[in-house]
Amino acid sequence: IEYSMKAWLLLFLCKDSIELREKYRSVGKILFFLQAFLAGYLLSHSDRINRLIYGNEAGVVTDSSQSIIKLAIVFGCSFLIMDLLYQGRKLAKLYLLLVFYTVQEMAKFTLHSVWSLAIKGCIDSMNELIIAEQIGLDGFYRIIEYLQTCSMWFFAAGYLLLMYVVLRWYRKYLAEPVEEIDPQGLWFLMLMPIIGMAFDILWRISFYRQNGAEIDFLYERHGSMYVVVPAIAVLCLICIGFSRKIYSELMCSEAQKNKLLFYKRQLSDMTEHVRELEQLYDGIRGMRHDVNNYVADMEQLLCMSTEAGRLPDR
């Protein structure tokens, strides 16, 4: 369900933002959905892939920095399939994928601290019950298994819901297809997702490391990280949404400015045209006045000639 929802959210982000190629119009979305689902699911559940990446079939990650490999593989597969199925510039496709995976990672880190603290609190409470001999080890292990299952469900549901809220807010300001955005605008919009991915890589490198039987967690080394990490993640999500909003408002303002300049130019042209017409009408009025004077002079000459008897009778 989790990987199906993530694949649907990726399609949701791409909707009306980028066009499928003509030959893939009928099946393109289905193929892209299947790719996003299978890439995430197989990388998490395939023994062969886990053995290849981590050297063990269980997919046990002894160093959190190794998890970057799977993220890079999923991102690369999505980009290759998107480039195959969708038309347009590669930069526009890269931008959409960066937004999606950055929102995904920041949504996880936003909830991970709360999730970790809740599990830690439950385990500490059960340890006290064991010490007080109110529950046995068998009951403790059953509760831990149930708690692990429920907590993973709630964590997945929580970060997927947060992803949907952020992506819906982000799509609110997608006034035009991504393909119509100029490269300079795309680089501006990609700045915050790139910063978010940089934070994600940094956290994955330092999140935990296993040394023999001991596991060194970032949160245990620095308790303040329970607050710092989600705070930075939330700020990244907000900045990603506001960068799109700011760019949309800038483009709207630029369009209104261009429209105003166009109207001013039209008004100037109309003013010049009216001025030329006025000059033409002034010229016509002058000619009319001169013709009237000529006619009056001819009539006066005609009257004078008639009185003098100079004109022959018909």
Side-chain angles (χ1 to χ4, degrees):
I1 294 174
E2 178 184 357
Y3 294 112
S4 298
M5 290 301 299
K6 285 198 290 188
W8 178 81
L9 286 171
L10 181 55
L11 284 177
F12 175 70
L13 176 63
C14 295
K15 181 183 177 182
D16 301 327
S17 300
I18 192 169
E19 294 290 333
L20 287 163
R21 297 185 188 274
E22 188 64 34
K23 59 181 178 180
Y24 297 117
R25 289 288 170 85
S26 57
V27 296
K29 291 184 179 180
I30 297 175
L31 292 176
F32 194 50
F33 176 89
L34 290 175
Q35 171 274 322
F37 169 76
L38 292 174
Y41 182 81
L42 292 177
L43 280 173
S44 298
H45 296 84
S46 173
D47 295 338
R48 182 174 300 178
I49 295 176
N50 288 328
R51 190 186 308 115
L52 180 64
I53 298 176
Y54 303 123
N56 58 79
E57 295 184 359
V60 177
V61 184
T62 58
D63 190 333
S64 60
S65 62
Q66 294 175 328
S67 62
I68 299 173
I69 300 174
K70 284 188 176 182
L71 181 62
I73 293 174
V74 172
F75 188 92
C77 291
S78 297
F79 179 76
L80 290 175
I81 299 301
M82 175 180 275
D83 192 39
L84 175 66
L85 298 177
Y86 288 88
Q87 61 185 2
R89 294 171 293 169
K90 288 180 172 57
L91 186 62
K93 301 168 190 177
L94 180 64
Y95 156 67
L96 286 174
L97 289 177
L98 270 175
V99 169
F100 177 78
Y101 284 105
T102 303
V103 170
Q104 171 188 290
E105 296 301 300
M106 293 302 104
K108 287 182 178 180
F109 277 110
T110 298
L111 300 179
H112 189 270
S113 296
V114 178
W115 178 71
S116 299
L117 285 173
I119 292 179
K120 184 179 178 181
C122 291
I123 292 176
D124 290 342
S125 299
M126 286 187 291
N127 285 333
E128 294 178 359
L129 293 176
I130 290 177
I131 294 173
E133 296 183 352
Q134 296 183 10
I135 60 172
L137 287 176
D138 292 338
F140 173 78
Y141 290 132
R142 284 196 301 269
I143 293 174
I144 287 296
E145 184 179 357
Y146 177 75
L147 177 64
Q148 182 180 10
T149 302
C150 292
S151 64
M152 291 301 295
W153 271 94
F154 281 112
F155 176 71
Y159 91 80
L160 288 171
L161 179 62
L162 182 57
M163 282 182 66
Y164 173 73
V165 171
V166 174
L167 291 177
R168 184 170 182 177
W169 176 43
Y170 192 82
R171 278 184 49 83
K172 180 181 178 181
Y173 301 105
L174 288 174
E176 73 281 349
V178 176
E179 183 60 26
E180 296 181 6
I181 302 176
D182 59 278
Q184 185 177 359
L186 284 175
W187 282 114
F188 168 78
L189 292 171
M190 286 171 63
L191 181 61
M192 279 313 304
I194 290 173
I195 293 174
M197 289 303 293
F199 275 119
D200 178 63
I201 293 172
L202 177 63
W203 289 331
R204 285 177 179 267
I205 290 173
S206 58
F207 198 65
Y208 71 86
R209 183 176 290 105
Q210 184 174 354
N211 296 318
E214 296 183 358
I215 300 179
D216 181 20
F217 278 102
L218 174 66
Y219 290 165
E220 292 181 356
R221 270 184 285 131
H222 307 283
S224 59
M225 289 298 169
Y226 279 107
V227 177
V228 173
V229 170
I232 294 176
V234 170
L235 286 175
C236 285
L237 291 175
I238 293 174
C239 289
I240 288 172
F242 271 106
S243 65
R244 179 68 226 191
K245 180 181 178 181
I246 290 171
Y247 180 80
S248 178
E249 290 177 350
L250 284 174
M251 291 300 99
C252 183
S253 176
E254 186 69 20
Q256 291 179 351
K257 182 179 178 181
N258 292 335
K259 187 181 293 185
L260 182 61
L261 289 175
F262 174 74
Y263 288 151
K264 285 184 176 179
R265 193 176 297 111
Q266 277 194 327
L267 181 60
S268 177
D269 293 341
M270 291 178 63
T271 303
E272 184 65 25
H273 182 64
V274 169
R275 187 180 295 110
E276 292 176 355
L277 288 177
E278 288 179 347
Q279 292 177 354
L280 178 62
Y281 291 154
D282 289 342
I284 292 174
R285 282 195 294 268
M287 292 176 60
R288 183 177 179 182
H289 183 265
D290 292 341
V291 169
N292 288 334
N293 289 336
Y294 294 152
V295 170
D297 291 342
M298 293 297 293
E299 288 179 349
Q300 187 176 2
L301 289 173
L302 181 61
C303 291
M304 292 175 61
S305 300
T306 303
E307 291 175 357
R310 296 179 181 177
L311 291 177
D313 295 332
R314 291 187 177 181

